[in-house]
Amino acid sequence: MASVSKAMVQRMANLLSRPVLRTRCASALARPVCLADRQAQKLEYKGSEVPTSPSFWEYIADEQSVRDAPKYQNNTENYMGTIKYPVGLIGPLEVHGEHCNRKYYVPMASHEGALLASYNRGAKAITEAGGCTVRITSRHMLRAPVFLFDRVSEATEFFRFAKASRNRLSNYLNEHVSHCKVTELRVIQTDRKVHISVGIDSEEAAGQNKVTYAGELVMEMMKTWYPDDIPQAYIEGGFNAGKRVSVLHTLLGKGHSVVVDCIVPRQIVQDILHTTPYKLQRFQKMHNRTNEFIGGISCTAHVANALAAFYIALGQDPACTAESSAAVTHFDLVPNGLGGKDFDQWDLYASMTLNCVIVATVGGGTNLPAFKAARELLGVESANEMAELCAAVALAGELSFYAAMESGEFAKAHWDMTHKQR
């Protein structure tokens, strides 16, 4: 087998250990920090002046946004200002996890009328029931480099070699990728293609960049170690299913895999959610069966609403809402010792499995001014705490949505809250 060159190892190690995992070309370094010149009231892009209106200078290229431009230069190319997205508050929401163990007031970003009122109602039901219980079952970010061969027989030979090399490859990545622990390494063959799915625990970061560099190193090592020729290799062949929902991630997880549940007494369901546990779980099961009938992957009421509002307010990647929607909601009945065999007197059991919660407290947009302020308001200290809280928020939304549907209040609530006189 070919040996690994010291120069190649050093090159990859230098790349992967940089504090900021980003390379910049000379033209990128030369670009202006902000395209908007407030003093001249000009927006220039590629040598041309872009027409603007007074509202642009008041709401997008306002004084604060232009002054803060240097803080955004590593996050937003061709920066010209910021969009002020409405943020509301829900809570208190009581959460009992291994990283959460208190009541939270949660900032959520949304311009959909009635949405935060609904989440607030769900949070009230959970909190008055004594809170919800949350656990994280796994944590890893994925990248799946693909290796292409001319025939399936050649691909199978490489597949067998790669499977036999998993321990060696895992050890190599742990040694040469800073702040990285390999959590899984799967080898999958599909016709003449072989995918090597790498999972890493990126600690407080979401890990998309880190695992991409790990994937690059996987390609380098396979090309070096494999005794025969590898015709083609790409950093991603689609197996990772990034930014899109998939059955694979619903089952096996990506990011934080989280489970959450709570028991809501019948009286609380009646008083706050305006229905009964029996009617609520019956409607939820019907809703899920219909979702399965139409081929839906996410068996929830509207988990994307929770994820998007939570992600945007706290500087997470909102595009991850797609894969994070791989979730399952389940309602059932539990005896309470009061109703005997009369199911209509039993309490409500509510749970969710969210296998793709992708959150971070460092990297990406987490330290941009408004997002950092929202996180400080929330008071979370780790990505694990944030993931547990995200699951609790999602469950609050499921409770209130299904209750509004079952009780017949859904349409009226939206009308009343979105047609107030201004």
Side-chain angles (χ1 to χ4, degrees), residues 279-296 298-303 329 331 398 401-402 405-406 410:
K279 292 179 180 179
L280 188 51
Q281 61 85 33
R282 183 182 60 183
F283 178 85
Q284 190 274 330
K285 286 183 171 69
M286 178 275 295
H287 190 275
N288 264 12
R289 295 299 83 76
T290 304
N291 183 73
E292 293 169 0
F293 178 77
I294 64 173
S298 178
C299 293
T300 68
H302 66 151
V303 69
T329 301
F331 287 3
E398 298 291 283
F401 175 93
Y402 280 125
M405 283 288 188
E406 198 289 321
F410 184 80

Short mmCIF file of all heavy atoms in Angstrom, two decimals, residues 279-296 298-303 329 331 398 401-402 405-406 410:
data_model
loop_
_atom_site.label_atom_id
_atom_site.label_comp_id
_atom_site.label_asym_id
_atom_site.label_seq_id
_atom_site.Cartn_x
_atom_site.Cartn_y
_atom_site.Cartn_z
N LYS A 279 -60.37 12.66 23.23
CA LYS A 279 -60.63 13.26 21.93
C LYS A 279 -59.33 13.72 21.26
O LYS A 279 -59.16 13.60 20.04
CB LYS A 279 -61.59 14.43 22.07
CG LYS A 279 -63.00 14.05 22.48
CD LYS A 279 -63.86 15.29 22.63
CE LYS A 279 -65.29 14.94 23.05
NZ LYS A 279 -66.12 16.16 23.21
N LEU A 280 -58.42 14.26 22.07
CA LEU A 280 -57.17 14.80 21.52
C LEU A 280 -56.29 13.70 20.94
O LEU A 280 -55.78 13.82 19.83
CB LEU A 280 -56.43 15.57 22.62
CG LEU A 280 -55.20 16.37 22.20
CD1 LEU A 280 -55.50 17.28 21.03
CD2 LEU A 280 -54.68 17.18 23.39
N GLN A 281 -56.10 12.60 21.69
CA GLN A 281 -55.25 11.53 21.17
C GLN A 281 -55.91 10.82 19.99
O GLN A 281 -55.23 10.37 19.08
CB GLN A 281 -54.89 10.55 22.29
CG GLN A 281 -56.06 9.83 22.96
CD GLN A 281 -56.52 8.59 22.24
OE1 GLN A 281 -55.71 7.89 21.64
NE2 GLN A 281 -57.82 8.31 22.31
N ARG A 282 -57.24 10.76 19.98
CA ARG A 282 -57.94 10.15 18.85
C ARG A 282 -57.72 10.96 17.57
O ARG A 282 -57.43 10.42 16.50
CB ARG A 282 -59.43 10.04 19.16
CG ARG A 282 -60.24 9.35 18.06
CD ARG A 282 -61.72 9.32 18.41
NE ARG A 282 -62.27 10.67 18.58
CZ ARG A 282 -63.53 10.92 18.95
NH1 ARG A 282 -64.37 9.92 19.21
NH2 ARG A 282 -63.96 12.17 19.07
N PHE A 283 -57.82 12.29 17.71
CA PHE A 283 -57.61 13.14 16.54
C PHE A 283 -56.16 13.07 16.06
O PHE A 283 -55.90 13.01 14.86
CB PHE A 283 -57.97 14.59 16.88
CG PHE A 283 -57.74 15.54 15.74
CD1 PHE A 283 -58.72 15.72 14.77
CD2 PHE A 283 -56.55 16.25 15.62
CE1 PHE A 283 -58.51 16.58 13.71
CE2 PHE A 283 -56.33 17.09 14.55
CZ PHE A 283 -57.31 17.28 13.60
N GLN A 284 -55.23 13.07 17.01
CA GLN A 284 -53.81 13.03 16.63
C GLN A 284 -53.47 11.74 15.90
O GLN A 284 -52.73 11.75 14.91
CB GLN A 284 -52.93 13.18 17.89
CG GLN A 284 -51.46 13.40 17.62
CD GLN A 284 -50.68 12.11 17.45
OE1 GLN A 284 -51.02 11.08 18.04
NE2 GLN A 284 -49.61 12.16 16.67
N LYS A 285 -53.99 10.63 16.35
CA LYS A 285 -53.74 9.35 15.68
C LYS A 285 -54.33 9.35 14.26
O LYS A 285 -53.73 8.85 13.32
CB LYS A 285 -54.31 8.20 16.50
CG LYS A 285 -53.50 7.86 17.75
CD LYS A 285 -54.10 6.65 18.46
CE LYS A 285 -53.20 6.15 19.59
NZ LYS A 285 -53.15 7.09 20.71
N MET A 286 -55.53 9.91 14.13
CA MET A 286 -56.14 10.01 12.80
C MET A 286 -55.26 10.85 11.88
O MET A 286 -55.02 10.51 10.71
CB MET A 286 -57.53 10.62 12.91
CG MET A 286 -58.26 10.83 11.59
SD MET A 286 -57.84 12.40 10.75
CE MET A 286 -58.50 13.59 11.90
N HIS A 287 -54.76 11.95 12.40
CA HIS A 287 -53.91 12.86 11.62
C HIS A 287 -52.64 12.15 11.16
O HIS A 287 -52.22 12.26 9.99
CB HIS A 287 -53.57 14.09 12.48
CG HIS A 287 -52.91 15.21 11.74
ND1 HIS A 287 -51.55 15.26 11.53
CD2 HIS A 287 -53.44 16.33 11.17
CE1 HIS A 287 -51.27 16.37 10.87
NE2 HIS A 287 -52.38 17.03 10.63
N ASN A 288 -52.03 11.38 12.06
CA ASN A 288 -50.80 10.66 11.71
C ASN A 288 -51.08 9.55 10.68
O ASN A 288 -50.27 9.31 9.78
CB ASN A 288 -50.15 10.05 12.96
CG ASN A 288 -49.05 10.94 13.50
OD1 ASN A 288 -48.91 12.10 13.09
ND2 ASN A 288 -48.27 10.42 14.43
N ARG A 289 -52.21 8.86 10.84
CA ARG A 289 -52.54 7.81 9.86
C ARG A 289 -52.71 8.41 8.47
O ARG A 289 -52.28 7.83 7.47
CB ARG A 289 -53.83 7.09 10.28
CG ARG A 289 -53.79 6.30 11.56
CD ARG A 289 -52.81 5.17 11.60
NE ARG A 289 -51.47 5.59 11.94
CZ ARG A 289 -51.08 5.91 13.17
NH1 ARG A 289 -51.92 5.84 14.16
NH2 ARG A 289 -49.82 6.27 13.40
N THR A 290 -53.34 9.57 8.40
CA THR A 290 -53.51 10.23 7.11
C THR A 290 -52.17 10.64 6.53
O THR A 290 -51.92 10.51 5.33
CB THR A 290 -54.42 11.47 7.25
OG1 THR A 290 -55.66 11.07 7.83
CG2 THR A 290 -54.67 12.12 5.90
N ASN A 291 -51.30 11.14 7.38
CA ASN A 291 -49.96 11.53 6.94
C ASN A 291 -49.21 10.33 6.35
O ASN A 291 -48.53 10.44 5.32
CB ASN A 291 -49.17 12.12 8.11
CG ASN A 291 -47.80 12.61 7.69
OD1 ASN A 291 -47.67 13.62 7.02
ND2 ASN A 291 -46.76 11.87 8.08
N GLU A 292 -49.34 9.19 6.99
CA GLU A 292 -48.70 7.97 6.48
C GLU A 292 -49.32 7.57 5.13
O GLU A 292 -48.61 7.14 4.21
CB GLU A 292 -48.85 6.84 7.48
CG GLU A 292 -48.06 7.07 8.76
CD GLU A 292 -48.43 6.08 9.85
OE1 GLU A 292 -49.31 5.21 9.59
OE2 GLU A 292 -47.87 6.16 10.96
N PHE A 293 -50.63 7.73 5.01
CA PHE A 293 -51.33 7.36 3.78
C PHE A 293 -50.84 8.17 2.58
O PHE A 293 -50.69 7.64 1.47
CB PHE A 293 -52.84 7.56 3.97
CG PHE A 293 -53.65 7.26 2.75
CD1 PHE A 293 -53.92 5.95 2.36
CD2 PHE A 293 -54.15 8.30 1.97
CE1 PHE A 293 -54.66 5.69 1.22
CE2 PHE A 293 -54.90 8.04 0.83
CZ PHE A 293 -55.16 6.73 0.46
N ILE A 294 -50.56 9.45 2.80
CA ILE A 294 -50.12 10.30 1.69
C ILE A 294 -48.61 10.25 1.48
O ILE A 294 -48.08 10.95 0.62
CB ILE A 294 -50.56 11.77 1.90
CG1 ILE A 294 -49.88 12.37 3.13
CG2 ILE A 294 -52.08 11.86 2.00
CD1 ILE A 294 -50.14 13.86 3.29
N GLY A 295 -47.91 9.43 2.27
CA GLY A 295 -46.47 9.26 2.08
C GLY A 295 -45.62 10.27 2.80
O GLY A 295 -44.44 10.47 2.45
N GLY A 296 -46.17 10.93 3.81
CA GLY A 296 -45.39 11.90 4.57
C GLY A 296 -44.29 11.26 5.38
O GLY A 296 -44.42 10.13 5.85
N SER A 298 -42.43 13.24 7.89
CA SER A 298 -42.54 13.83 9.22
C SER A 298 -43.95 13.63 9.76
O SER A 298 -44.90 14.20 9.25
CB SER A 298 -42.21 15.32 9.16
OG SER A 298 -42.36 15.92 10.42
N CYS A 299 -44.10 12.78 10.77
CA CYS A 299 -45.42 12.49 11.35
C CYS A 299 -45.68 13.44 12.51
O CYS A 299 -45.68 13.05 13.69
CB CYS A 299 -45.49 11.03 11.79
SG CYS A 299 -45.44 9.87 10.41
N THR A 300 -45.88 14.71 12.19
CA THR A 300 -46.14 15.73 13.20
C THR A 300 -47.24 16.64 12.69
O THR A 300 -47.66 16.56 11.54
CB THR A 300 -44.88 16.59 13.48
OG1 THR A 300 -44.60 17.38 12.31
CG2 THR A 300 -43.69 15.71 13.81
N ALA A 301 -47.68 17.55 13.56
CA ALA A 301 -48.68 18.54 13.16
C ALA A 301 -48.02 19.66 12.36
O ALA A 301 -48.42 19.96 11.24
CB ALA A 301 -49.39 19.10 14.39
N HIS A 302 -47.02 20.28 12.95
CA HIS A 302 -46.36 21.43 12.28
C HIS A 302 -45.00 21.70 12.93
O HIS A 302 -44.69 22.85 13.26
CB HIS A 302 -47.25 22.67 12.34
CG HIS A 302 -47.49 23.21 13.73
ND1 HIS A 302 -47.73 24.54 13.98
CD2 HIS A 302 -47.50 22.60 14.94
CE1 HIS A 302 -47.89 24.74 15.28
NE2 HIS A 302 -47.76 23.56 15.88
N VAL A 303 -44.18 20.69 13.10
CA VAL A 303 -42.91 20.86 13.80
C VAL A 303 -42.02 21.90 13.13
O VAL A 303 -41.21 22.55 13.79
CB VAL A 303 -42.18 19.50 13.92
CG1 VAL A 303 -41.69 19.00 12.57
CG2 VAL A 303 -41.01 19.60 14.91
N THR A 329 -44.61 12.61 16.28
CA THR A 329 -45.40 12.95 17.47
C THR A 329 -46.31 11.78 17.82
O THR A 329 -46.85 11.12 16.93
CB THR A 329 -46.25 14.21 17.21
OG1 THR A 329 -45.38 15.30 16.87
CG2 THR A 329 -47.07 14.59 18.43
N PHE A 331 -49.47 10.73 20.71
CA PHE A 331 -50.36 10.98 21.84
C PHE A 331 -51.02 9.66 22.24
O PHE A 331 -51.33 8.83 21.40
CB PHE A 331 -51.46 11.98 21.48
CG PHE A 331 -51.01 13.41 21.35
CD1 PHE A 331 -49.68 13.78 21.50
CD2 PHE A 331 -51.94 14.41 21.08
CE1 PHE A 331 -49.28 15.10 21.38
CE2 PHE A 331 -51.55 15.73 20.94
CZ PHE A 331 -50.22 16.08 21.10
N GLU A 398 -47.14 21.14 19.27
CA GLU A 398 -47.97 20.01 18.86
C GLU A 398 -49.23 19.92 19.71
O GLU A 398 -50.33 19.69 19.20
CB GLU A 398 -47.17 18.71 18.96
CG GLU A 398 -45.94 18.64 18.06
CD GLU A 398 -46.31 18.56 16.58
OE1 GLU A 398 -46.70 17.48 16.12
OE2 GLU A 398 -46.21 19.59 15.91
N PHE A 401 -51.64 22.90 18.71
CA PHE A 401 -52.16 22.80 17.35
C PHE A 401 -53.24 21.72 17.27
O PHE A 401 -54.34 21.96 16.76
CB PHE A 401 -51.03 22.47 16.38
CG PHE A 401 -51.49 22.23 14.95
CD1 PHE A 401 -51.51 23.28 14.04
CD2 PHE A 401 -51.91 20.98 14.54
CE1 PHE A 401 -51.93 23.07 12.73
CE2 PHE A 401 -52.34 20.75 13.24
CZ PHE A 401 -52.35 21.80 12.33
N TYR A 402 -52.91 20.52 17.74
CA TYR A 402 -53.88 19.43 17.67
C TYR A 402 -55.14 19.76 18.46
O TYR A 402 -56.26 19.44 18.05
CB TYR A 402 -53.26 18.14 18.19
CG TYR A 402 -52.38 17.43 17.19
CD1 TYR A 402 -51.06 17.11 17.50
CD2 TYR A 402 -52.86 17.06 15.94
CE1 TYR A 402 -50.25 16.44 16.58
CE2 TYR A 402 -52.06 16.40 15.02
CZ TYR A 402 -50.75 16.09 15.35
OH TYR A 402 -49.97 15.44 14.45
N MET A 405 -57.31 22.17 16.49
CA MET A 405 -57.98 21.46 15.41
C MET A 405 -59.16 20.63 15.95
O MET A 405 -60.26 20.67 15.41
CB MET A 405 -56.98 20.55 14.69
CG MET A 405 -56.06 21.29 13.76
SD MET A 405 -56.95 21.84 12.30
CE MET A 405 -55.61 22.44 11.29
N GLU A 406 -58.89 19.87 17.01
CA GLU A 406 -59.92 18.96 17.52
C GLU A 406 -61.10 19.73 18.10
O GLU A 406 -62.25 19.32 17.93
CB GLU A 406 -59.31 18.06 18.60
CG GLU A 406 -60.13 16.82 18.90
CD GLU A 406 -61.43 17.12 19.66
OE1 GLU A 406 -61.40 18.00 20.56
OE2 GLU A 406 -62.46 16.48 19.34
N PHE A 410 -59.44 26.41 15.63
CA PHE A 410 -58.28 26.77 14.83
C PHE A 410 -58.55 27.99 13.94
O PHE A 410 -57.82 28.99 13.98
CB PHE A 410 -57.85 25.58 13.98
CG PHE A 410 -56.60 25.81 13.18
CD1 PHE A 410 -55.35 25.70 13.77
CD2 PHE A 410 -56.67 26.12 11.84
CE1 PHE A 410 -54.20 25.90 13.04
CE2 PHE A 410 -55.52 26.33 11.09
CZ PHE A 410 -54.27 26.22 11.69
#
